[in-house]
Amino acid sequence: MSWASRFRLLQYTKASLWIVPLLGLVLGVLLAEWAITVDATAWLPAGWQYSASTASGVLTAIVGAMIALLGFVVTIGVLVVQQATGTLSPRYMRLWYRDRLQKAVLATFTGTFSFSFALLRTIESDSVPDLGVTMAGSAVSVSLLLLLVYLNRFTHNLRPVAIAGLVGRMGETVLVRGEAAVLGAAPRTGDPWAPADGAPVTCVRSERGGVIQAFHPGRLTALAERHDCVLVVTRPVGDYVPPGGVVVEVHGGTPAPDPRQVTGLIAFGSERTIEQDPAFALRVLVDIAVRALSPAVNDPTTAVQVLNQIEAFLNTVGRAGLRERYVLGDRHGAPRLVVQGRDWEDYLQLALTEIREYGTSSVQICRRLRSVLEGLLTALPPGTLPAVRTELALLRESVEREYTDPARRTLASTPDPQGIGARHRPDRPVRGG
């Protein structure tokens, strides 16, 4: 199995809602067998002993309760899907499916169900699995506690602001560790590298196409070193490649590497994922803000709160020193792998363009956007500031087109970190009473 196939399998496992519950189902049966074995050989306290009718009734009730609770959790999941696709962003579902608490709840319910059901078959008039019945009651208590934690978490975390905070933190984490996880697998060379004139070039094409979800820089660099060539990945992670599209250019090589080896180190899928694509988190944040600004929702305050997370994300991006292209070298420093990246301008445009276009009619959004841009001007390194000034000029032009009245134009042009209600005021002396 190639690295790309293993990556896709891992992605499927993370997003699957049935694999972990299935493991819980199997574990419940195994625990039931263990409890029956221990019950036959060990002495138990008198309080742990039950009659056959009591044990049968308790286990039967637990089996029915676990099925009902499973249906309840599935119903909550359906409601989450409806809310996420209707008022948040369908892209968020890609992250919600990975929630570990939800899988733990489902695994506990299925495990308790299979455990209790497996014990039922051993109950006879003169043989009762006393230890198993007690363990089943304890499992129900744990299940109910997990259900309450699950309900509390999703009641509070399904708010757009909470989801924006979660997605923003995930994006920042991926961005910060990206240098080591994605590009730190091979030493980076200071040579900018340019293709030599007349050098042989072999194009590696995608067979089925799809979105580039991830690639393995270390193995691609090692492959290029073995064949004495330079591999140029023509598209960044997150781009869609059509069937037959060029994904890698091989410069040199004696002989050139097998195209299947190259594509086996690049994972394609039907949609973007966050593992090596922090811009995907920013895409979700912008989607939530744009949905809040739509005429059907008309909630600019939510968009302002999402802009808080976007501003924090942009501050992290602006200090990361991103480049449009990265050149990775082998152990001797020779260029071997060239990968495309997203620079500061790409992230800034992704973060602000759509919100500016859809939110110019809202005074609150205009004021918050100006506050974001002016904050970036004072917080980021000098190399990032020209792009920020460009965005500030675009915002100014949009405000001038939208607001013809001078008073409203001045109101919309005033920076405000809360949108409305917290504009900056110069320090004034406090009058005594």
Side-chain angles (χ1 to χ4, degrees), residues 129-322:
D130 297 318
L131 176 62
V133 175
T134 302
M135 290 177 62
S138 301
V140 171
S141 301
V142 173
S143 299
L144 292 176
L145 179 61
L146 282 177
L147 178 62
L148 293 176
V149 174
Y150 175 81
L151 290 175
N152 177 76
R153 177 173 178 177
F154 281 97
T155 299
H156 292 85
N157 289 1
L158 275 181
R159 295 174 296 117
V161 176
I163 291 176
L166 174 64
V167 174
R169 290 190 296 271
M170 293 176 65
E172 291 179 22
T173 301
V174 173
L175 182 71
V176 169
R177 75 184 183 194
E179 292 289 324
V182 180
L183 302 176
R188 188 181 302 175
T189 176
D191 185 2
W193 188 81
D197 294 336
V201 178
T202 303
C203 294
V204 177
R205 301 179 181 274
S206 171
E207 295 181 1
R208 299 181 179 178
V211 175
I212 299 178
Q213 295 181 332
F215 63 91
H216 199 298
R219 294 188 182 182
L220 284 171
T221 303
L223 180 64
E225 183 179 7
R226 287 198 303 270
H227 291 268
D228 191 23
C229 64
V230 178
L231 300 178
V232 180
V233 182
T234 60
R235 300 169 183 264
V237 175
D239 268 19
Y240 174 78
V241 181
V246 177
V247 64
V248 174
E249 294 178 352
V250 182
H251 294 259
T254 52
D258 186 349
R260 289 176 296 181
Q261 288 183 301
V262 178
T263 55
L265 298 174
I266 302 176
F268 293 88
S270 59
E271 57 183 328
R272 297 167 68 177
T273 184
I274 200 171
E275 266 70 16
Q276 294 184 12
D277 187 9
F280 179 64
L282 192 55
R283 175 71 270 169
V284 175
L285 291 175
V286 173
D287 284 349
I288 296 174
V290 170
R291 286 291 182 96
L293 293 173
S294 66
V297 179
N298 194 22
D299 185 9
T301 301
T302 294
V304 166
Q305 293 173 323
V306 174
L307 276 170
N308 296 340
Q309 304 301 325
I310 292 177
E311 182 178 13
F313 191 93
L314 289 177
N315 273 276
T316 303
V317 173
R319 298 187 182 96
L322 302 179

Side-chain angles (χ1 to χ4, degrees), residues 14-37:
K14 288 182 178 181
S16 172
L17 294 179
W18 66 269
I19 293 180
V20 175
L22 178 62
L23 295 177
L25 196 72
V26 175
L27 182 60
V29 175
L30 296 178
L31 283 177
E33 295 296 331
W34 174 83
I36 293 171
T37 302

Side-chain angles (χ1 to χ4, degrees), residues 403-416:
Y403 300 95
T404 57
D405 180 75
R408 295 191 65 207
R409 183 187 304 157
T410 301
L411 181 66
S413 301
T414 304
D416 191 329

